Amino acid sequence: MNSSTFHEQPTQTPERLAFYAELDRHDLGALWEVLGKLGSLEPRPASVPAHWNYDDLRPLLMKSGSLISAEEAERRVLVLENPGLRGRSQITGSLYAGLQLILPGEIATSHRHVASALRFIVEGRGAYTAVDGERASMRPGDFIITPSWTFHDHGNIGEEPVVWMDGLDIPIVNLFDTGFAQKYAGSTQPVTRAEGDALARYGTNMLPVEYTRYGSTSPVFSYPYERSREALARLARSGPLHPSHGVKLQYVNPATGGAAMPTIGTWLQLLPAGFDTAAYRSTDGTVFSVVEGSGYSVIGGKKFVWKPKDIFVVPSWVNVEHHADDDAVLFSFSDRSSQQALGLWREEAISS
Amino acid sequence: MNSSTFHEQPTQTPERLAFYAELDRHDLGALWEVLGKLGSLEPRPASVPAHWNYDDLRPLLMKSGSLISAEEAERRVLVLENPGLRGRSQITGSLYAGLQLILPGEIATSHRHVASALRFIVEGRGAYTAVDGERASMRPGDFIITPSWTFHDHGNIGEEPVVWMDGLDIPIVNLFDTGFAQKYAGSTQPVTRAEGDALARYGTNMLPVEYTRYGSTSPVFSYPYERSREALARLARSGPLHPSHGVKLQYVNPATGGAAMPTIGTWLQLLPAGFDTAAYRSTDGTVFSVVEGSGYSVIGGKKFVWKPKDIFVVPSWVNVEHHADDDAVLFSFSDRSSQQALGLWREEAISS
Amino acid sequence: MNSSTFHEQPTQTPERLAFYAELDRHDLGALWEVLGKLGSLEPRPASVPAHWNYDDLRPLLMKSGSLISAEEAERRVLVLENPGLRGRSQITGSLYAGLQLILPGEIATSHRHVASALRFIVEGRGAYTAVDGERASMRPGDFIITPSWTFHDHGNIGEEPVVWMDGLDIPIVNLFDTGFAQKYAGSTQPVTRAEGDALARYGTNMLPVEYTRYGSTSPVFSYPYERSREALARLARSGPLHPSHGVKLQYVNPATGGAAMPTIGTWLQLLPAGFDTAAYRSTDGTVFSVVEGSGYSVIGGKKFVWKPKDIFVVPSWVNVEHHADDDAVLFSFSDRSSQQALGLWREEAISS
Amino acid sequence: MNSSTFHEQPTQTPERLAFYAELDRHDLGALWEVLGKLGSLEPRPASVPAHWNYDDLRPLLMKSGSLISAEEAERRVLVLENPGLRGRSQITGSLYAGLQLILPGEIATSHRHVASALRFIVEGRGAYTAVDGERASMRPGDFIITPSWTFHDHGNIGEEPVVWMDGLDIPIVNLFDTGFAQKYAGSTQPVTRAEGDALARYGTNMLPVEYTRYGSTSPVFSYPYERSREALARLARSGPLHPSHGVKLQYVNPATGGAAMPTIGTWLQLLPAGFDTAAYRSTDGTVFSVVEGSGYSVIGGKKFVWKPKDIFVVPSWVNVEHHADDDAVLFSFSDRSSQQALGLWREEAISS
């Protein structure tokens, strides 16, 4: 075995080839012919480092707004396809991401699906997401969850286009053949609770005495940027900074202390101006969305320069180093929750 | 068996009495002689319903301030002794409570113990508690935790006396013979983190990526009244009210979703003006401290009128009904966390 | 502060004494007067090291058999009272223990209580315990559980007296004022399942697909000595021996991997002939019952010689060393499960 | 929307097609063009019901034994490929399965990988699997685990060919890009513990006092058929039978009560002679291996007749009914553990 492969394919002889053909007729295959493809010494993600410049994305988004209505599209989304995974509607090996546009006056009708969804607001004000009878206003930087199998609809009652990034676990749900979906009888669900109810009920380190946990998704479905941003600022002042992550906070489910969603981990981090992170890699391929600041990241040896609203991807087990020119805030998400639940996750910090 | 006892004591004969004396010499006893005392059809708490009027307590507290220094007393506390448990320094069968006074300029020196402590601030501003290198300012209504085996000291750097209620699990720690205590080498521990650090780090439904859970006490050790009070107000507006509790929130550990302390449960509740709760009982004898409003509670058939800063006790399995004259806020604590951890807790709501 | 106390009591002056009297009239006490009693640098258990010789116990047990019927006694048990805790029906600060005798033809009628009970069979064959409609035969060395609030009755359908040790968490249940008890309508519960059903269903590292966990007590309520003894023997052969414990196995709940009972931990251990354990102490005062072999234990510096069926106690935080003359098997139980659930447990192995 | 699709694809216009081409150049896609493919009203597994007759499999296995050595093949396995997933080395959407042959005197050298593996012994005696320094003998019906990232090697020291079914979570590990693999320095790992050590240590509802849980795979890595089969027999006698499953036991991890492996669930079930199960479906596509008895299963309306050593597959959300001609024992495995950990699993029993 050389250093880069786990298994060397045996010699193919006429006799063996004939045998393989016979196996084929019985829905069988010879493991030794494919073992090198099935396993490897280290992860070999098909996804590659990638970066989308919002200057390119925005005109296309706006153009989509005139080409198709929210109603006809069901959801007007430009899917971010990893260049290594074209045609599969995936941004990493296990996750879907897209940018959704909703124009003033539009509604994205109510439906539900087993796939869990996150929304990270990129630009615009005046839109909302309704979940479980409560509407959450969308402001740039807010992180909003649509839990698995929960009816949800979106609307824009403001005066400007609103754009957010969607992140879903569709490839995971599909690998396990567990996808269900359903449309709501009407176009929108009735509003039964005042905005902010869930945050008041579950978001202040207190839980109602009658609360009983259901599922493992956070009952706080909207995490306002204002609060998260202030926490980052305080921690940056207190220090110390994490060498690989600066100040990095994970959004958690206040009823469990675990990740906000059972399949997807989500984070918000601050890299102070001038900060260079130490090289780091983990098995969870990660999608970043820039909220504030500019800088660059070196991903697998390749440099990607970013600024607000840009999106970039670090694949599994590929080294990443970040540099912030000015105070930068990055939102990120990955399948780490899934990997940890299944005992698969690894990380490695490379000390300089 | 009649309806009120589990076991009828057998007849005592001379022969049996002689046998019991023989048993006694061998460190033995006859179960049938004591079974009626050991078990019962329902809880028979020795603690009784009780109420302390702060108008009575305050002059005594202030007098203690002139009679003994914080230094000489180690902690200048008037212990609240349940009338049914006099001489045992207990407010219920399993909990200790007291009112602590700290005068301007005083310090209560640093020590630690296995017993977990809660502080609920009753009056005054300008004092602090230091835990793990961080000071938390004490304002009326704030709920502050001293986790088990954590060095802590208190100080008053303001200009008025500060009073808080202490709640500790001393009887529990002592039942299990698990008490350890230690004085800090100096009088106060060094301050190594800015005030508010723990709340920023753990209190916004996010956790630092490098956080690892240690023990089961909340890493948020100060829960400011302002936040908790606002949550109550929002929920009172959204409704519905719980028939037995009005709006009642439990302080939780954001890293687990469980109680803020492993042995003691703590709550803050709002009873809107005019609200009458349905009768309720549970096996956790509970201590209430009135923060706002006035009203009365009927405990085991006896009426107790209360106003701000008063303290009252509802023993295990005794019915309680509350009435609020104006919007009332009650803080409460009990051993429910312990009981739930051990599979012992029961409750019963009596529907009218 | 000297090395042995946590708090020095302040000087008592006439003025202070008058103040204490005034406090007393208001159901208050001065903490500084009792602080030294409430807390200590280390556990100060009231229980003491103790040993009961079965040669003494057996004649008394048999005598009790002629003095009172099982029916009149409800349970014919000689309570083992720790010499440091006389009159309180306790063997340690938190646990009750006794020796129960049931004669051929007798029945101990069905009842239930919140207190959890363990039975460890000391001598005789032919008796059974019925739990949840299933009877478990009692053979010397078997460990049997009566879960909290489960109807149970015992009977002797054999031809010889049967004796077992009972261990209950009565002092814990009573500290928390959570005791309930109830008699069954008839004298014995109907048998609805064949003996061995629970063990087959839950005891082979498999669980029925329809099983749902209820409470935290083990669904396996009988752990036959034969199986446990064989496991000890195999591990003694494989090694290595634990320096403080020889080979020591904890009985676990196969549905959780935790202790078999939520409040009480139970163990069976083998000390090979000639083995001397290293000194060890932990905060859980522990009751030992000798199953096989003879030897001695040095507990808190005092030597106790034991042989089969003897019982001895190691109080909290007292050092113990065991010596086995021949292969010895010890059953033991303590409140460790409770302490661990509440975050109170500590242990210390003294390396020689 | 008609009843079978979640989303109707919008009309394609020249303008839209031009836009899609532009999107394509920016690594983007239009969600509304693929939404119907990404989501569905119900699971639409690509895998199909399938059955392999061991009469066909055995000659091919034996032929492979003469065509390639265990050494050259690394592992001599015929991969069972689901007819709906040809070329992907998968038996369901998330699992790999194969039949491995090891001839007398052969060794399958030691390596480790992140993928978890199960072995279910189909025929032959004299082989072993070594895991963590302990060898487990393989007998027909035994269930053996190779935990994630554990060195393991196999050998046949007997006198007949040995065949077992392998089940691995390779597609899951690969979806998450978390695969690592490593060869052991030598061909086999040293044996450091006697056979049966793990079972004695962890398999009798007891755990060593020094045991600390590591990962979530069962420390019992071999579950002998004899024990499991006897448990089934007892439960079949006690009843009642589960209408959809007969008597079905899940292999569990004694240290957690959860599944024996974190990603894969495994079961052994008994269908008494003449028993017909009620129709049932669940989202975990399941692989069955027949141990004893003969009968047939109707899977998605199609009948498959089976006998000992046959293998068949029930895909996700496809109805299955079993009929046993004589007492039948079926081993099965699926990704249910993964699905439950991620909150994705559903089941439905169809009452007749």
Side-chain angles (χ1 to χ4, degrees), chain A:
Chain A
M1 187 181 66
N2 65 36
S3 62
S4 63
T5 59
F6 178 60
H7 176 74
E8 293 294 332
Q9 197 168 342
T11 314
Q12 292 185 327
T13 64
E15 200 180 6
R16 286 179 177 175
L17 289 170
F19 181 62
Y20 303 156
E22 195 179 352
L23 290 181
D24 189 63
R25 286 189 293 276
H26 289 86
D27 296 320
L28 298 169
L31 176 61
W32 56 90
E33 283 290 295
V34 295
L35 185 53
K37 202 179 67 182
L38 293 180
S40 55
L41 299 177
E42 285 195 344
R44 293 176 306 195
S47 59
V48 297
H51 169 257
W52 287 265
N53 188 326
Y54 197 68
D55 293 342
D56 296 336
L57 295 170
R58 196 177 196 282
L60 292 166
L61 269 169
M62 295 308 146
K63 191 166 181 182
S64 76
S66 61
L67 269 177
I68 195 160
S69 68
E71 188 187 358
E72 195 186 358
E74 174 105 15
R75 294 295 189 261
R76 189 198 288 111
V77 179
L78 300 190
V79 181
L80 298 155
E81 288 206 330
N82 191 290
L85 298 164
R86 291 309 311 274
R88 291 166 53 184
S89 304
Q90 294 180 216
I91 194 159
T92 69
S94 65
L95 294 171
Y96 159 101
L99 283 175
Q100 182 157 175
L101 169 69
I102 189 157
L103 296 171
E106 284 190 330
I107 281 168
T109 57
S110 198
H111 65 202
R112 64 178 179 177
H113 35 67
V114 164
S116 293
L118 70 88
R119 327 290 173 184
F120 189 73
I121 318 310
V122 175
E123 72 160 285
R125 289 171 183 266
Y128 67 83
T129 282
V131 166
D132 260 349
E134 180 179 337
R135 286 186 178 177
S137 291
M138 293 168 135
R139 287 148 309 209
D142 290 356
F143 162 59
I144 294 175
I145 298 171
T146 308
S148 177
W149 206 237
T150 309
F151 281 113
H152 56 282
D153 47 85
H154 316 295
N156 186 337
I157 52 178
E159 294 173 2
E160 55 188 37
V162 174
V163 176
W164 66 80
M165 178 172 66
D166 286 319
L168 286 94
D169 56 7
I170 294 171
I172 298 172
V173 168
N174 286 346
L175 175 91
F176 291 114
D177 288 323
T178 52
F180 292 83
Q182 195 179 15
K183 296 212 179 203
Y184 191 71
S187 61
T188 56
Q189 60 185 304
V191 173
T192 57
R193 295 186 296 154
E195 170 152 13
D197 182 80
L199 198 61
R201 213 173 276 275
Y202 313 113
T204 54
N205 305 312
M206 305 183 87
L207 288 176
V209 74
E210 67 269 31
Y211 175 74
T212 45
R213 191 150 74 82
Y214 175 77
S216 53
T217 304
S218 172
V220 172
F221 71 97
S222 173
Y223 295 72
Y225 187 58
E226 192 182 354
R227 256 172 75 140
S228 307
R229 182 65 180 84
E230 190 190 326
L232 286 179
R234 285 196 84 118
L235 295 193
R237 284 197 300 273
S238 326
L241 298 175
H242 187 292
S244 302
H245 304 301
V247 176
K248 190 169 185 177
L249 294 170
Q250 181 171 23
Y251 295 93
V252 301
N253 177 348
T256 64
M261 314 175 78
T263 48
I264 304 177
T266 47
W267 298 267
L268 195 71
Q269 81 193 98
L270 175 67
L271 303 171
F275 189 72
D276 286 292
T277 65
Y280 173 85
R281 61 180 177 173
S282 60
T283 52
D284 54 317
T286 306
V287 181
F288 289 83
S289 172
V290 183
V291 194
E292 299 180 26
S294 57
Y296 62 84
S297 299
V298 180
I299 310 171
K302 195 171 165 192
K303 180 175 175 177
F304 295 88
V305 176
W306 41 255
K307 59 174 191 341
K309 304 187 179 58
D310 284 4
I311 291 168
F312 61 93
V313 177
V314 179
S316 168
W317 214 237
V318 169
N319 274 328
V320 62
E321 297 162 82
H322 303 294
H323 170 82
D325 293 331
D326 37 22
D327 280 6
V329 177
L330 305 177
F331 171 83
S332 56
F333 72 98
S334 80
D335 60 17
R336 190 181 303 177
S337 308
S338 297
Q339 292 196 21
Q340 289 180 324
L342 303 179
L344 300 171
W345 188 66
R346 292 194 194 182
E347 66 174 338
E348 189 177 76
I350 293 90
S351 52
S352 51

Side-chain angles (χ1 to χ4, degrees), chain C residues 3 22 30 54-55 81 89 100-101 149-151 161 255 263 275 277 301 314 337:
Chain C
S3 62
E22 194 181 352
Y54 197 68
D55 293 342
E81 289 206 329
S89 303
Q100 183 157 174
L101 168 70
W149 206 237
T150 308
F151 280 113
T263 47
F275 189 70
T277 66
V314 180
S337 308

